């Protein structure tokens, strides 16, 4: 499981003419899933995300978590995070989990994130063509891969 976390002052997801997700201060999370991902990956990653100290304290030092600042979260499925680009110029997405595996893991990830955060997490729509807008605050962008957690 791989995520790109972006600390945002605002973010939204648009699908067609609908805007299913809008937040202010918080995190925009792009989530990529592979077939080898497990519930243990979800538990470790969601705990890491809500406790990661990447928000400023009163002295401007990154010392607070999204939970500490009562921030919001949007999660967007992003199979392209697992693109293989070594050969040729067309990325291969063969490592990305197929929907029958990815959707339940995606839904479980969002549910566990809500439990750890203590509030509703907004989402895009799995598999949909989406437009994601954000104002990256800092900018702060962090990549976490559960295959590199040790």
């Amino acid at each position: 499981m791989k995520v790109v976390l972006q600390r945002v002052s605002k973010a939204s997801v648009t699908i067609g003419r609908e805007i299913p997700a809008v937040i202010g201060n918080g995190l925009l999370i792009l989530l990529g899933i592979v077939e080898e991902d497990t519930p243990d990956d979800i538990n470790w990653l969601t705990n890491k995300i809500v406790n990661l100290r990447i928000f400023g304290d009163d002295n401007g030092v990154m010392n607070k978590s999204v939970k500490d600042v009562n921030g919001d979260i949007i999660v967007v499925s992003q199979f392209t995070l697992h693109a293989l680009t070594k050969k040729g110029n067309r990325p291969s997405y063969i490592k990305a989990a197929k929907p029958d595996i990815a959707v339940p893991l995606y839904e479980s990830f969002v549910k566990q994130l809500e439990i750890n955060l203590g509030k509703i997490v907004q989402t895009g729509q799995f598999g949909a063509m989406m437009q994601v807008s954000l104002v990256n605050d800092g900018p702060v962008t962090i990549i976490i891969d559960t295959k590199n957690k040790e």
Side-chain angles (χ1 to χ4, degrees):
M1 201 164 271
K2 186 182 291 186
V3 294
V4 174
L5 304 175
Q6 296 182 80
R7 187 179 76 184
V8 299
S9 57
K10 63 181 176 179
S12 65
V13 175
T14 303
I15 303 170
R17 294 178 183 222
E18 301 293 318
I19 302 174
V22 177
I23 64 169
N25 186 47
L27 296 173
L28 172 67
I29 301 174
L30 305 177
L31 171 67
I33 299 169
V34 294
E35 289 190 19
E36 298 81 28
D37 289 329
T38 68
D40 287 340
D41 291 318
I42 292 169
N43 291 333
W44 180 86
L45 186 56
T46 56
N47 186 56
K48 175 66 78 175
I49 289 168
V50 300
N51 292 299
L52 198 62
R53 297 181 339 189
I54 59 173
F55 290 83
D57 62 15
D58 293 338
N59 297 316
V61 176
M62 285 196 281
N63 211 18
K64 292 190 173 192
S65 69
V66 67
K67 193 172 185 173
D68 294 335
V69 300
N70 196 30
D72 292 312
I73 296 177
I74 295 178
V75 177
V76 175
S77 61
Q78 186 77 46
F79 74 93
T80 60
L81 290 180
H82 291 289
L84 300 174
T85 58
K86 188 173 182 178
K87 293 173 137 185
N89 293 318
R90 178 184 289 178
S92 169
Y93 305 107
I94 197 162
K95 287 189 69 171
K98 304 289 184 262
D100 61 318
I101 292 171
V103 170
L105 288 171
Y106 170 80
E107 290 171 349
S108 181
F109 176 87
V110 171
K111 186 178 289 184
Q112 188 61 47
L113 198 55
E114 288 177 338
I115 291 168
N116 291 355
L117 186 63
K119 64 196 305 191
I120 297 296
V121 169
Q122 297 187 48
T123 66
Q125 179 182 341
F126 190 94
M129 180 61 77
M130 297 174 268
Q131 288 71 49
V132 179
S133 299
L134 69 130
V135 176
N136 190 319
D137 183 32
V140 174
T141 301
I142 297 174
I143 300 169
I144 305 173
D145 190 332
T146 59
K147 305 306 180 251
N148 299 324
K149 63 185 168 192
E150 295 185 26

